[in-house]
């Protein structure tokens, strides 16, 4: 179920693999159990927020923002990661409700915090299919009263490619409130640079698959270099996802990447 749903979200002719150790697999809830867990977590707004740092390529001490990642509390203080429950959320048609809970919790956390580090929130495709979500978001941001640019809302590139007419109103609403808008997982599908001119995201995050062999693969280097040139000509920042090694970091700096995110930069921690 997880692999199937992940492949669907990645676009046409995509594939995904799910692998687990036997002991892990046996401890996971079944489909019916997951449905109850997910519904209860959303209704009670019992979602745990973690955040992963994104830093400047030129100076890794400079924090650009932190991306919000979701966890669900399990038994014995276990935290279930998003990849384990998001497919169930999508199958149940509850992505819009989950997005609302996450946004409300992030706004509440920021209202309590004195740290004005920008946070990035991912918005699901399911939310865009409901016209009332944009109206709800507009009202939520109206009531938040937070400093400008304290949140940036990310949409996956595959969703942007399929739903550009639905994405534009979302981008317009968040910008009207002084917040940011960005595209992540860039390059996952049949990538085109065309919409960057009209949409003008604050940044794009390059899909992690391009980072695996970036130090030696000339095609990956050409793609990253080309994207940087196009994006920079439009004043769009470029960030690399899934960065893990020092060698990758050095090559990305040479290619003109502005920011980096991944286990080599920092692991997710509680918000």
């Amino acid at each position: 179920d997880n692999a199937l749903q992940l492949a669907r979200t990645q676009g046409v002719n995509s594939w995904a693999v799910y692998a687990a150790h036997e002991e892990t697999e046996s401890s996971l809830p079944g489909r019916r159990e997951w449905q109850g867990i997910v519904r209860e977590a959303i209704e009670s707004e019992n979602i745990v927020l973690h955040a992963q740092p994104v830093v400047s390529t030129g100076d890794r001490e400079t924090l650009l923002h932190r991306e919000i990642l979701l966890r669900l509390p399990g038994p014995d203080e276990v935290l279930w990661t998003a990849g384990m429950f998001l497919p169930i959320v999508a199958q149940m048609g509850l992505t819009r409700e989950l997005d609302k809970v996450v946004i409300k919790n992030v706004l509440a956390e920021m209202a309590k915090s004195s740290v004005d580090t920008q946070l990035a929130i991912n918005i699901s495709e399911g939310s865009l299919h409901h016209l009332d979500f944009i109206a709800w978001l507009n009202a939520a941001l109206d009531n938040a009263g937070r400093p400008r640019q304290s949140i940036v809302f990310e949409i996956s590139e595959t969703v942007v490619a399929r739903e550009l007419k639905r994405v534009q109103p979302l981008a317009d609403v968040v910008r009207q409130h002084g917040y940011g808008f960005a595209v992540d997982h860039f390059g996952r599908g049949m990538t085109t640079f065309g919409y960057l001119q009209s949409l003008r995201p604050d940044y794009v995050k390059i899909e992690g698959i391009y980072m695996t062999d970036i130090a030696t693969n000339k095609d990956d280097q050409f793609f990253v270099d080309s994207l940087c040139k196009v994006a920079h000509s439009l004043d769009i920042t470029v960030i690399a996802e899934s960065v893990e090694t020092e060698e990758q970091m050095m090559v990305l700096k040479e290619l003109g990447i502005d920011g980096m995110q991944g286990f080599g930069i920092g692991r997710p921690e509680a918000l």
Side-chain angles (χ1 to χ4, degrees):
D1 285 341
N2 284 353
L4 179 61
Q5 190 62 34
L6 181 58
R8 284 173 173 164
T9 62
Q10 291 177 353
V12 178
N13 296 330
S14 295
W15 56 269
V17 172
Y18 175 80
H21 297 296
E22 241 179 74
E23 61 271 18
T24 303
E25 186 69 29
S26 63
S27 66
L28 291 179
R31 183 196 292 241
R32 290 185 180 276
E33 289 178 279
W34 268 125
Q35 290 176 347
I37 291 167
V38 164
R39 192 176 298 278
E40 193 281 329
I42 292 175
E43 289 177 355
S44 64
E45 301 187 359
N46 187 21
I47 306 292
V48 178
L49 302 179
H50 280 204
Q52 186 174 33
V54 178
V55 303
S56 169
T57 307
D59 178 9
R60 295 179 213 169
E61 297 300 316
T62 300
L63 182 65
L64 300 181
H65 66 263
R66 294 190 294 162
E67 180 175 349
I68 296 296
L69 303 174
L70 309 186
R71 304 287 186 263
L72 278 189
D76 301 322
E77 299 185 354
V78 169
L79 287 178
W80 288 318
T81 59
M84 300 168 72
F85 62 85
L86 284 185
I88 301 295
V89 174
Q91 289 171 16
M92 295 174 68
L94 295 175
T95 52
R96 173 184 52 164
E97 286 72 15
L98 179 60
D99 281 354
K100 288 182 178 181
V101 171
V102 172
I103 293 169
K104 286 168 61 177
N105 285 0
V106 168
L107 290 172
E109 285 292 327
M110 295 190 74
K112 295 186 297 184
S113 174
S114 59
V115 180
D116 194 26
T117 301
Q118 191 177 58
L119 299 176
I121 302 176
N122 288 277
I123 301 296
S124 66
E125 183 175 7
S127 292
L128 298 179
H129 291 166
H130 297 272
L131 295 178
D132 67 325
F133 177 78
I134 302 297
W136 176 89
L137 180 60
N138 184 55
L141 297 181
D142 260 341
N143 295 330
R146 289 297 298 161
R148 300 296 184 184
Q149 295 299 316
S150 54
I151 299 177
V152 59
F153 293 85
E154 296 183 356
I155 296 281
S156 174
E157 188 221 13
T158 54
V159 177
V160 174
R162 286 196 299 262
E163 306 282 0
L164 186 57
K165 290 185 178 179
R166 297 179 190 267
V167 170
Q168 189 66 63
L170 173 71
D172 292 343
V173 163
V174 300
R175 283 171 171 157
Q176 286 167 12
H177 290 84
Y179 294 96
F181 173 79
V183 176
D184 71 344
H185 302 313
F186 194 92
R188 175 175 284 181
M190 297 297 290
T191 300
T192 173
F193 296 167
Y195 66 81
L196 295 179
Q197 172 71 40
S198 58
L199 198 58
R200 295 290 182 103
D202 293 280
Y203 61 76
V204 295
K205 285 183 177 177
I206 302 178
E207 169 64 26
I209 192 172
Y210 292 97
M211 300 305 119
T212 305
D213 300 316
I214 192 66
T216 56
N217 189 304
K218 298 300 182 182
D219 290 337
D220 290 346
Q221 291 175 9
F222 177 77
F223 173 79
V224 171
D225 180 63
S226 300
L227 173 58
C228 285
K229 288 175 179 175
V230 171
H232 291 161
S233 72
L234 298 170
D235 293 324
I236 298 171
T237 298
V238 182
I239 295 169
E241 298 179 326
S242 303
V243 178
E244 297 184 353
T245 69
E246 191 68 31
E247 189 177 24
Q248 290 172 333
M249 297 177 202
M250 292 175 62
V251 172
L252 291 171
K253 185 175 181 179
E254 293 174 0
L255 292 172
I257 288 287
D258 303 296
M260 301 181 294
Q261 176 180 4
F263 284 177
I265 303 300
R267 292 180 176 270
E269 296 180 347
L271 183 64

